[in-house]
Amino acid sequence: MKYVDEFRDPEKARVLLKEIEQLAEQIHQRIQRPVYLMEVCGGHTHSIFRYGIETMLPACIELIHGPGCPVCVLPMGRVDDCVALAQDSKVILTTFGDAMRVPGSKKSLLAAKAEGCDVRMVYSPMDALGLARKNPDREVIFFGLGFETTMPSTALTLLQARREGITNFSLFCNHITIIPTIKAVLDSPDLKLDGFLGPGHVSMVIGNAPYQFIAEHYKKPVVIAGFEPLDILQSIWMLLKQLAAKESKVENQYSRVVPDKGNRVALDAISEVFELREFFEWRGLGSIDHSGVKMKQSWADYDAEAKFVVPAIKIADPKSCQCGEVLKGAIKPWDCKVFGRACTPETPLGALMVSSEGACAAYYQYGDVEKLEQHRISLQELPA
Amino acid sequence: MSSPASGKKRHGKLVSQVITLAHGGGGKAMRDLIDDVFIEAFDNEALNTLEDQARFSLSDLQQHGDRLALTTDSYVIDPLFFPGGDIGKLAICGTVNDLAVGGAKPLYLTCGMIIEEGMPVETLRQIVASMAQTAAQAGVMIVTGDTKVVDKGSCDKLFINTAGVGIIRTGLELGADKAQAGDAVLVNGMLGDHGAAILGARGDMQLSTDIQSDCAPLHELIDVILQAAPHTRFMRDATRGGIASVLNELAEASRVEIEIVEAKTPIRQEVKGFCEILGLDPLYLANEGKLVIVVPKEESDAALHAMKQHPLGAEAARIGTVLPGGRPGRVTMQTVFGGKRIVDMLVGEQLPRIC
């Protein structure tokens, strides 16, 4: 594709990889252990697997696939609430495609749909608002989730709904916010991490400034990265340059999309509609303070949690699931006890097996080719 | 309407503008529907006798080969009409291709229709005309059929089932278990067109595309391939689940590893862009006119050259190899970027990613 292929040029990759190898070796000599880099965003995880980037990197660089897949980190209790909303015959429940497969404690939305609930896949919240317009006698609920990337479109849709006086539309809000989550990762005691690939799309909205504390307080370099394979390689190279020079700065590799100050219009829309929750429950990571947003009191008439009764029962993650440790880089997906056995993309136990942006599902599907095979073989050798 | 060869002249005339439950009721209305829509369009000796079964002479069948191939498929596509085809064309091509990929000459098809009441007769006529036209193009006859009309909401507009019989040429043994180390993996053209065209035509995502379905009967092209590469090991049309699914089934059945090269895999720019936007992988998108073909290395050039002379194979490409000493059952891809990744079976349906 025009304007895309140049970001996938294998020749340029070879040049970058050579420099990455030299830098990584130099750092490795100094710290006498692998260099651990975390990509925060699920979109990066997807690209890394899609292009086999891990198979090209030197062995002394380990990528840790962070908590940035909003579908993956949704706790089961919230999915149960969503299913409960969908079971109301008045309700048309709308959401993004991959949110439909997330397992609740009993079922996913896909299963609820099969049982007769009116669950519809949409490509944007505006499509959901369109359904509300077309079905004035039904209540259309949009099951909104995602980081600051998807938050503005939800907020703008609500603003539009109010402008048009549409009253049969509401949001079941599960939006989450990235900075407290990164902070929670940084504060965890079993953390192994040397630097971050910052989330490109989130940063397009929030800009660079919110990451400064990572560089200043935690002394870890951050490079905000684009999603094409060369973007990712170049960002890894930039992180290594900083590490080699013992620096920790926030740099912006994705400047063609990410303005330093973020997007004012999007931020204004967010702050008009949403405010921080005191805490929000994450699959795999537990409760994190100020990590989720809810609708402001003045928006209660568009808030599904205010308009409807939701069970709001907290469901603990399955005990056998080690998603939290994978998310923090403490173990690799294939080191988890249930990976590929009780937990597969067909029957995901843990968050990270749910979406192709989750580290476990990505490994399972695209694989660190040899590692995955070794794991599969060892599974075959074990008694079932 | 031409007079049927059997000499039985049909007179039924459909008066209603829409299909109602009466048209499935077994009475005059149904008879009129069959006469006026189906017999009118399909018109052949075996069908026109209106017996409960089509009858064939075994000695006639034996002229084509030594084994009977039998297949069935149901078509439930939404929308009924899409860029590059419609459910009728699909119902013929799909079944013809399922026969032809086994090395069979497709001969006869059945046509079972389940119609939701309220369907405009004109729409049904268009679909039936498209079936007749495609069947003529594919050299097959629709020789028996069945019609049911169901209550509104009991089916989505129209479901079609076609079963088909064909005769497999003597000496031909194609199979998913026949791939060997060193064999070449070919496709006959651009991948993912059908899947992208259907998703686009549903209009849910308000993406306007010019992508046309590749829906086409492949029997002629298959003849061409078999002539050029007489030791062809395997052929399959890469429908639901795309080429990724076919390759996985092949690797599993033959206990071999298959490696494909992303840079050699023909995918239209529009389809790539479509997939980029929606977070889909074109390797898993459905095709309705694309084959995965495995031939011995020595016959690969001949097969490719022959395909390229045919309109349905003009963009044929060699996309991969059966690896010697690879891991059985595995499909891998060399990415355009120089990395390597596993191409696994799809779990469930491909759902667009949120961001």
Side-chain angles (χ1 to χ4, degrees):
Chain A
M1 278 154 293
K2 220 173 167 192
Y3 311 124
V4 170
D5 287 342
E6 48 269 63
F7 294 102
R8 297 175 185 174
D9 180 350
E11 274 313 311
K12 293 204 174 80
R14 263 189 280 280
V15 176
L16 262 174
L17 277 167
K18 234 189 172 84
E19 293 193 30
I20 285 176
E21 249 165 65
Q22 285 165 4
L23 282 168
E25 188 49 43
Q26 188 187 329
I27 301 164
H28 179 57
Q29 289 294 331
R30 193 179 76 219
I31 60 177
Q32 291 296 310
R33 61 163 175 78
V35 184
Y36 298 108
L37 305 177
M38 174 180 280
E39 86 276 6
V40 176
C41 175
H44 286 145
T45 308
H46 185 83
S47 284
I48 286 166
F49 285 100
R50 165 80 180 74
Y51 293 97
I53 290 175
E54 261 189 326
T55 64
M56 305 162 77
L57 291 174
C60 62
I61 297 181
E62 275 200 28
L63 294 179
I64 295 164
H65 314 296
C69 162
V71 171
C72 303
V73 296
L74 197 70
M76 281 201 276
R78 298 296 283 182
V79 180
D80 288 354
D81 290 347
C82 208
V83 169
L85 287 170
Q87 277 164 343
D88 185 331
S89 60
K90 276 201 315 290
V91 167
I92 301 175
L93 194 113
T94 56
T95 192
F96 298 126
D98 54 357
M100 296 185 52
R101 221 175 1 222
V102 192
S105 68
K106 294 187 188 68
K107 64 186 76 143
S108 65
L109 283 170
L110 218 51
K113 177 172 186 278
E115 286 171 14
C117 296
D118 195 345
V119 180
R120 305 193 197 176
M121 185 172 76
V122 291
Y123 294 88
S124 106
M126 281 294 186
D127 296 347
L129 186 61
L131 277 172
R133 238 179 253 126
K134 259 193 263 168
N135 297 275
D137 50 336
R138 303 281 301 276
E139 177 73 26
V140 175
I141 300 178
F142 177 63
F143 172 32
L145 68 171
F147 289 97
E148 283 87 344
T149 323
T150 50
M151 233 183 262
S153 62
T154 308
L156 288 166
T157 304
L158 288 162
L159 289 163
Q160 176 75 20
R162 182 163 272 179
R163 254 197 310 279
E164 287 184 41
I166 296 174
T167 55
N168 63 326
F169 179 73
S170 56
L171 168 71
F172 180 50
C173 180
N174 289 275
H175 284 295
I176 43 184
T177 174
I178 197 82
I179 297 297
T181 317
I182 295 180
K183 194 167 174 310
V185 168
L186 281 164
D187 285 336
S188 72
D190 48 356
L191 178 80
K192 290 192 284 188
L193 203 58
D194 296 302
F196 286 99
L197 290 177
H201 292 145
V202 169
S203 308
M204 178 176 81
V205 177
I206 67 173
N208 297 353
Y211 303 103
Q212 290 300 337
F213 77 99
I214 304 174
E216 283 164 22
H217 183 72
Y218 292 90
K219 304 287 177 220
K220 310 276 185 206
V222 178
V223 174
I224 295 165
F227 294 86
E228 290 302 327
L230 273 181
D231 286 328
I232 292 173
L233 277 191
Q234 192 186 22
S235 301
I236 290 173
W237 173 78
M238 288 165 77
L239 279 175
L240 294 174
K241 286 281 262 197
Q242 287 198 43
L243 287 169
K246 297 188 186 170
E247 286 178 331
S248 60
K249 296 183 291 193
V250 177
E251 291 183 288
N252 184 3
Q253 182 275 337
Y254 203 26
S255 58
R256 68 181 187 277
V257 169
V258 175
D260 287 346
K261 288 191 177 356
N263 182 328
R264 199 65 252 165
V265 178
L267 288 170
D268 287 348
I270 289 175
S271 61
E272 195 164 346
V273 177
F274 299 117
E275 62 187 12
L276 286 178
R277 292 177 194 260
E278 262 180 68
F279 56 86
F280 195 72
E281 189 71 23
W282 291 58
R283 224 186 239 231
L285 293 174
S287 179
I288 301 178
D289 287 352
H290 302 128
S291 64
V293 299
K294 62 180 179 186
M295 298 171 75
K296 286 183 168 168
Q297 190 54 39
S298 56
W299 284 88
D301 47 340
Y302 288 95
D303 185 351
E305 283 175 273
K307 275 176 110 170
F308 297 86
V309 181
V310 292
I313 296 167
K314 193 182 149 183
I315 308 283
D317 290 333
K319 281 208 178 59
S320 49
C321 164
Q322 296 180 284
C323 280
E325 286 154 274
V326 176
L327 279 176
K328 287 179 287 195
I331 62 169
K332 284 278 167 189
W334 57 82
D335 298 326
C336 172
K337 292 188 288 289
V338 288
F339 178 81
R341 309 185 82 193
C343 186
T344 66
E346 275 161 285
T347 54
L349 268 187
L352 297 177
M353 198 53 104
V354 173
S355 156
S356 65
E357 293 188 1
C360 294
Y363 268 105
Y364 193 90
Q365 233 162 11
Y366 291 138
D368 169 331
V369 175
E370 299 311 324
K371 287 257 176 49
L372 183 64
E373 283 309 317
Q374 281 163 16
H375 183 79
R376 280 187 180 166
I377 287 163
S378 69
L379 286 184
Q380 281 163 10
E381 285 162 359
L382 288 169
Chain B
M1 177 181 170
S2 66
S3 201
S6 65
K8 279 192 187 176
K9 183 124 179 152
R10 302 267 152 224
H11 295 292
K13 192 78 195 153
L14 201 58
V15 264
S16 172
Q17 301 287 310
V18 294
I19 302 294
T20 66
L21 290 175
H23 292 111
K28 178 168 184 309
M30 185 167 113
R31 179 69 181 269
D32 290 346
L33 171 72
I34 292 171
D35 283 355
D36 194 13
V37 176
F38 295 106
I39 304 279
E40 167 83 19
F42 297 153
D43 190 22
N44 62 64
E45 191 174 343
L47 180 67
N48 295 356
T49 57
L50 283 192
E51 294 293 347
D52 278 352
Q53 71 295 121
R55 299 170 188 180
F56 317 104
S57 136
L58 286 178
S59 57
D60 286 353
L61 294 178
Q62 272 171 344
Q63 290 170 13
H64 300 289
D66 63 352
R67 282 153 299 161
L68 192 71
L70 171 64
T71 187
T72 181
D73 211 335
S74 298
Y75 301 86
V76 296
I77 196 157
D78 171 47
L80 295 179
F81 298 87
F82 47 84
D86 57 74
I87 189 172
K89 182 178 180 188
L90 196 64
I92 303 297
C93 294
T95 298
V96 163
N97 293 345
D98 281 350
L99 290 170
V101 291
K105 179 178 171 52
L107 292 174
Y108 304 110
L109 262 53
T110 70
C111 166
M113 287 207 178
I114 298 173
I115 309 170
E116 185 184 26
E117 66 174 328
M119 161 163 284
V121 169
E122 195 42 48
T123 306
L124 185 65
R125 280 189 203 278
Q126 276 180 47
I127 291 165
V128 170
S130 168
M131 289 181 84
Q133 190 192 350
T134 313
Q137 193 191 343
V140 294
M141 282 198 278
I142 297 160
V143 289
T144 187
D146 175 59
T147 310
K148 296 282 188 302
V149 181
V150 296
D151 291 318
K152 195 121 196 119
S154 294
C155 88
D156 183 13
K157 299 183 280 293
L158 173 67
F159 296 161
I160 303 178
N161 173 279
T162 54
V165 292
I167 304 294
I168 301 172
R169 277 148 273 200
T170 310
L172 207 53
E173 288 286 352
L174 301 170
D177 57 348
K178 303 232 167 358
Q180 293 173 22
D183 284 354
V185 179
L186 318 175
V187 294
N188 63 312
M190 297 289 178
L191 300 170
D193 290 0
H194 179 75
I198 296 302
L199 280 173
R202 282 191 191 150
D204 298 339
M205 64 277 282
Q206 288 159 12
L207 276 177
S208 68
T209 70
D210 299 327
I211 305 166
Q212 301 266 319
S213 166
D214 58 350
C215 177
L218 296 168
H219 61 294
E220 258 182 35
L221 179 71
I222 288 171
D223 283 345
V224 167
I225 297 168
L226 289 173
Q227 267 171 22
H231 298 97
T232 297
R233 318 263 197 220
F234 165 82
M235 278 189 276
R236 189 165 291 171
D237 49 339
T239 54
R240 271 176 307 175
I243 63 156
S245 303
V246 174
L247 293 172
N248 272 284
E249 285 160 11
L250 173 67
E252 188 58 45
S254 291
R255 304 303 303 153
V256 293
E257 173 167 342
I258 294 168
E259 183 180 72
I260 60 170
V261 180
E262 188 173 19
K264 306 263 178 195
T265 306
I267 298 164
R268 231 174 271 289
Q269 293 297 341
E270 296 91 315
V271 173
K272 278 189 197 170
F274 188 84
C275 287
E276 286 285 330
I277 290 170
L278 294 175
L280 303 174
D281 187 338
L283 296 181
Y284 297 94
L285 282 184
N287 305 277
E288 287 294 343
K290 293 295 141 47
L291 297 167
V292 172
I293 308 131
V294 179
V295 297
K297 191 174 59 190
E298 313 78 64
E299 295 182 4
S300 147
D301 287 346
L304 266 182
H305 180 77
M307 272 197 276
K308 286 182 174 174
Q309 312 306 309
H310 192 277
L312 295 176
E315 289 156 315
R318 176 177 176 166
I319 62 165
T321 314
V322 180
L323 291 184
R327 244 194 254 297
R330 181 166 84 168
V331 181
T332 51
M333 179 160 91
Q334 279 178 30
T335 73
V336 276
F337 199 56
K340 186 174 172 180
R341 69 156 160 118
I342 288 181
V343 179
D344 210 344
M345 283 289 247
L346 189 62
V347 178
E349 205 185 346
Q350 263 205 120
L351 295 174
R353 293 185 297 130
I354 82 168
C355 62

